[in-house]
Amino acid sequence: MARQRGMTSVRVLARFSGMAAICLNLFWPFPGQAKEKPQFMLSDTSVSQAPGDDRIDGSDVVRTLAGDLHHRFRHCATALTMDDLRMLIGFEKQRELLGAGDPTALAEIGGALGRKGLLVTSAFHTSPAGMSLHINVMDSTGKVLGQGTASCNGRCSRVPLSTEVVAQLPDFCRPQWFGTLTYRYTEFIDIRHHAETDDGSEDALTDHFNQMDVEVRMTPDGLEDQLKVDLDAKPYGKSKVETRRVASALCGGGDEGGEEREVQGGYRETFTMSNTMGDPMCEQDACTGTVSVATDPVKGRFAIAPRIGPIRYHVHSSWHKETTTCGKNHRENGEDRIESSWPGSSPFSLEGTFAPDQTTITGSERTRREGNDKASPTVTEFWQVNLQSKPLIETLAK
């Protein structure tokens, strides 16, 4: 019924306004018909022409532009001219005075005025030499998002000029990607070492585990595939190093002046260190990342290539050393805070297909690299992708 009332309003309006109302039928979104689409709001065209020339109505120019905008961007936006609004407001005002106002139509007018959209301004110039048409597309802040200029020589038609300037605009229906990518890097080393020496033995343990978690937040920044990338890096992990030595020592003598003798196991040393990752330094040139997203709507394919640069972080170390020589103990403790650096993620590209109406792309990729020897770490890298797409106009319209 709502759609029927909207169509009835346009048919009645056509009785008073002729072809102008037919244009309105093309661009006015009836209830249930893509009502949430943003709009190209076309202001009146500025016309300049030589004195004595046949007067050109700027409303005719802007209606032609509206038709071309509708034809090119009908999948993601609607077009609305000031004449469209004036006709609707005037007609509904007359009906209201006659006691037959349509609250639904009035609500639609208010909704159109408050709907998100982009402003389109246009200037048309004629002279004996020919015609020229220029348009600007701006957001609510006045930032120019697209421009078009076309001209012709001599006696020519303005209709092709309108088509040409609209064709020069960016593809506002093109998907613009945003979302979150999560990355995890883990590194393991587990080495146990035993060696016999000339005067004893040595045992060592290296138990190393480091992890880097990075959240990559991606938002549109400008036109087409220009993206803004923010990183939230969280390094953590622990490394434990232990070394035990047992060796012979010359013991004896002392205050009594006795003769020193070699005692097996008379010397013992235990060294233990614990390292903890933390405090990433994400300022200036550190903690940078990029994401490249390529979309082919015709073939329904996409390619996502994120890359995270090196990240510096602090390592907190605490160590303890205990030495026993011929029954005498000596203990040392210490703490250090040093800087270290993670080299960044490996190159990665997630490719796949998507349906025309799909707005979410998810995927994951895991790689694992085994060390060639016991001293080389085993590394695992894991990417998880959760991206959504909206038409470019939806991310630009305020």
Side-chain angles (χ1 to χ4, degrees):
M1 288 299 294
R3 178 180 174 86
Q4 185 176 358
R5 284 195 300 270
M7 295 183 68
T8 301
S9 295
V10 171
R11 284 197 293 267
V12 173
L13 183 58
R15 190 178 304 167
F16 293 94
S17 305
M19 290 302 295
I22 296 177
C23 289
L24 177 61
N25 187 33
L26 287 174
F27 312 126
W28 183 259
F30 299 119
Q33 183 185 3
K35 189 174 181 179
E36 298 304 319
K37 287 183 180 179
Q39 292 177 325
F40 292 102
M41 306 290 291
L42 286 83
S43 62
D44 292 337
T45 300
S46 171
V47 178
S48 62
Q49 55 188 131
D53 288 351
D54 294 337
R55 182 179 177 276
I56 295 177
D57 190 347
S59 297
D60 294 337
V61 179
V62 81
R63 278 195 292 269
T64 304
L65 281 171
D68 287 324
L69 286 166
H70 168 77
H71 178 74
R72 184 179 175 194
F73 300 115
R74 61 186 179 277
H75 300 298
C76 66
T78 60
L80 190 66
T81 70
M82 298 306 295
D83 275 354
D84 294 335
L85 281 175
R86 281 191 288 262
M87 284 188 295
L88 272 178
I89 294 172
F91 177 63
E92 287 302 324
K93 187 63 177 177
Q94 298 242 359
R95 294 190 65 201
E96 185 181 9
L97 292 174
L98 294 173
D102 186 345
T104 302
L106 290 174
E108 290 175 2
I109 295 172
L113 291 172
R115 192 169 314 159
K116 295 180 179 180
L118 303 179
L119 176 63
V120 181
T121 62
S122 52
F124 185 69
H125 175 73
T126 67
S127 70
M131 299 179 180
S132 65
L133 177 62
H134 178 79
I135 62 172
N136 282 324
V137 179
M138 298 174 287
D139 63 12
S140 61
T141 67
K143 179 182 178 181
V144 176
L145 305 172
Q147 293 181 319
T149 301
S151 60
C152 59
N153 298 324
R155 297 179 61 85
C156 50
S157 171
R158 66 172 180 269
V159 175
L161 301 183
S162 175
T163 303
E164 184 176 345
V165 295
V166 170
Q168 294 174 22
L169 297 176
D171 185 357
F172 289 105
C173 287
R174 181 170 180 166
Q176 182 72 292
W177 300 94
F178 63 96
T180 302
L181 302 94
T182 54
Y183 172 84
R184 172 166 289 183
Y185 172 96
T186 54
E187 182 179 281
F188 301 90
I189 299 179
D190 187 3
I191 301 176
R192 296 181 183 274
H193 167 76
H194 176 79
E196 296 292 335
T197 64
D198 292 339
D199 55 356
S201 63
E202 177 182 87
D203 290 282
L205 166 68
T206 301
D207 186 9
H208 170 84
F209 166 73
N210 282 341
Q211 182 168 304
M212 180 69 71
D213 286 348
V214 184
E215 182 181 78
V216 182
R217 294 182 296 274
M218 190 174 70
T219 54
D221 185 27
L223 300 176
E224 305 298 336
D225 287 328
Q226 298 176 25
L227 302 171
K228 179 181 178 183
V229 177
D230 293 321
L231 298 184
D232 182 16
K234 296 178 181 178
Y236 62 90
K238 291 185 177 181
S239 298
K240 184 177 182 180
V241 179
E242 292 183 356
T243 305
R244 293 187 178 91
R245 296 186 180 91
V246 178
S248 60
L250 293 176
C251 300
D255 297 336
E256 293 80 7
E259 183 180 353
E260 290 189 331
R261 56 190 176 86
E262 184 175 345
V263 176
Q264 297 293 327
Y267 176 84
R268 295 176 181 270
E269 176 188 292
T270 302
F271 177 84
T272 303
M273 174 181 283
S274 178
N275 301 315
T276 303
M277 296 173 62
D279 300 334
M281 292 171 281
C282 293
E283 72 278 350
Q284 298 178 353
D285 295 332
C287 297
T288 59
T290 59
V291 181
S292 172
V293 179
T295 304
D296 187 342
V298 176
K299 296 181 180 179
R301 295 197 61 82
F302 68 91
I304 303 168
R307 179 75 171 92
I308 302 172
I311 295 177
R312 294 182 297 127
Y313 57 89
H314 285 115
V315 178
H316 305 274
S317 298
S318 59
W319 56 271
H320 173 74
K321 182 178 179 182
E322 185 169 345
T323 305
T324 302
T325 306
C326 300
K328 296 181 179 180
N329 293 335
H330 178 69
R331 295 182 176 86
E332 296 179 72
N333 296 298
E335 293 189 2
D336 293 310
R337 179 183 170 94
I338 61 175
E339 288 187 10
S340 188
S341 179
W342 171 69
S345 67
S346 300
F348 164 69
S349 179
L350 181 69
E351 299 181 355
T353 59
F354 65 97
D357 59 346
Q358 183 175 344
T359 59
T360 301
I361 291 178
T362 59
S364 61
E365 179 75 14
R366 183 187 299 272
T367 60
R368 182 180 174 92
R369 300 195 303 274
E370 298 282 354
N372 296 326
D373 52 60
K374 292 185 64 177
S376 301
T378 297
V379 173
T380 301
E381 293 180 277
F382 178 73
W383 281 99
Q384 190 164 12
V385 179
N386 186 5
L387 298 180
Q388 293 181 317
S389 67
K390 287 183 180 179
L392 180 60
I393 189 172
E394 291 192 21
T395 64
L396 296 174
K398 305 299 182 182

